[in-house]
Amino acid sequence: LNYIDPDAASALIAWTARAVPSSAFVSMEQIEPDDQFGVMMKERLARRQSPLLGIDSFPTCAHHQQRYVHAGYQHAVVRDLAGWLSLFPDGECERVFTLEVFDEYEELFDTLAHYAIVLATRGAPAVRPVCESTRLSLAAVRGLCPPWLGHDSAWTALTCLEGEARVRLGRYGHCAAWTSDRAGRDVLLAFGGFGDGGGAGRAHHRTATLLRITVHPAREVLDVRRAPTTGATPEHPMHASMTYYPSRSIVVVFGGRDNPRKASAAVHTLCTTQLVWQRARISGTGGPIPRYRHTATRWGDRHLIVW
């Protein structure tokens, strides 16, 4: 219905509710038009002479739910495709994702987050229980997590509260390095990646946040806190490398990407005491080749070996 005038589409929905008193209406629509993926989706379809005429009037799942209820349907459940897929049994999702090698989860999540399925019912007892049973748990999209990001793993369970907000650790494609704080305690810094951001809005996204993780073995807990930073934050937070230079109290972040077709050769440093990012200037001829999913190892206090 996004391809026709939104007023005409709403009139059609209302007509079906009046004309068929006992019915179910199922529709799939594009949503979230204002982020980078959504803008590109709209532009590409417009160039193909198939503009999305209704997406700006009904940009979210909540808007579509209200639309169907206002049109006369008694029940309406609207989820993006990731939400519907999370209703499948965990074993079935795991079976599907092990059929072949697949690691572009962030692209998959981006696509699934921009399509919604509407299930609306009116006066249909046989359909209504199905509609009402689709309440997602807090573990929505857990079936889409890569196998090594198991939603019941210790990393997911060992979270801490920072004020009123829960800091979630479930992510992948990030970089991390063991460092030391001013008191000499071991601290793990983790930057970037793709995962569960927690809170409202889209849960899964690329993130450029820095986490500061301190292990307390005696209590068997992790103290996890977001570390606010200043300066020139790296713009390619996926699959970069992070290397710690203790004598200089910095970590070096090299490479990475923000999509599979845009690798980076940028070098950034982070002062581990002041938490200030700086982009390093590269001298010499050529410079490093843009890359991601590489390894990087410190050699002495002045060299970085990348492979």
Side-chain angles (χ1 to χ4, degrees), residues 26-71:
V26 180
S27 176
M28 185 170 75
E29 308 289 353
Q30 298 90 343
I31 57 173
E32 303 293 346
D34 297 322
D35 60 15
Q36 183 178 2
F37 187 104
V39 170
M40 182 178 298
M41 176 175 63
K42 289 173 56 179
E43 291 177 349
R44 286 184 174 179
L45 289 170
R47 287 197 300 266
R48 297 174 183 174
Q49 306 302 312
S50 298
L52 296 174
L53 302 179
I55 192 171
D56 291 318
S57 298
F58 301 94
T60 67
C61 291
H63 285 95
H64 281 282
Q65 194 271 340
Q66 296 168 4
R67 179 189 207 179
Y68 280 80
V69 171
H70 180 74

Side-chain angles (χ1 to χ4, degrees), residues 108-147:
L108 176 62
F109 270 106
D110 260 351
T111 302
L112 297 183
H114 287 81
Y115 290 86
I117 291 180
V118 181
L119 173 58
T121 62
R122 174 179 171 81
V127 179
R128 189 181 306 159
V130 176
C131 192
E132 293 177 342
S133 68
T134 54
R135 300 189 182 96
L136 299 184
S137 68
L138 294 178
V141 301
R142 65 184 183 181
L144 285 174
C145 290

Side-chain angles (χ1 to χ4, degrees), residues 59-212:
T60 67
C61 291
H63 285 95
H64 281 282
Q65 194 271 340
Q66 296 168 4
R67 179 189 207 179
Y68 280 80
V69 171
H70 180 74
Y73 281 90
Q74 296 169 327
H75 303 271
V77 173
V78 188
R79 306 291 187 217
D80 64 23
L81 293 186
W84 287 109
L85 188 55
S86 72
L87 300 176
F88 283 75
D90 290 346
E92 177 63 12
C93 290
E94 293 172 3
R95 184 190 69 82
V96 170
F97 280 105
T98 56
L99 292 178
E100 60 179 270
V101 176
F102 179 78
D103 60 2
E104 303 298 345
Y105 286 91
E106 66 270 26
E107 282 73 34
L108 176 62
F109 270 106
D110 260 351
T111 302
L112 297 183
H114 287 81
Y115 290 86
I117 291 180
V118 181
L119 173 58
T121 62
R122 174 179 171 81
V127 179
R128 189 181 306 159
V130 176
C131 192
E132 293 177 342
S133 68
T134 54
R135 300 189 182 96
L136 299 184
S137 68
L138 294 178
V141 301
R142 65 184 183 181
L144 285 174
C145 290
W148 58 89
L149 241 183
H151 57 275
D152 292 326
S153 68
W155 278 103
T156 303
L158 290 176
T159 59
C160 78
L161 292 177
E162 183 187 51
E164 296 297 327
R166 180 174 293 278
V167 181
R168 296 184 182 273
L169 286 171
R171 67 185 60 203
Y172 69 97
H174 55 283
C175 55
W178 282 106
T179 66
S180 298
D181 62 13
R182 293 176 177 176
R185 295 173 299 186
D186 291 332
V187 176
L188 180 67
L189 295 181
F191 171 75
F194 185 89
D196 185 357
R202 290 177 56 195
H204 290 78
H205 59 272
R206 299 183 187 95
T207 176
T209 58
L210 182 73
L211 296 182
R212 186 180 184 275

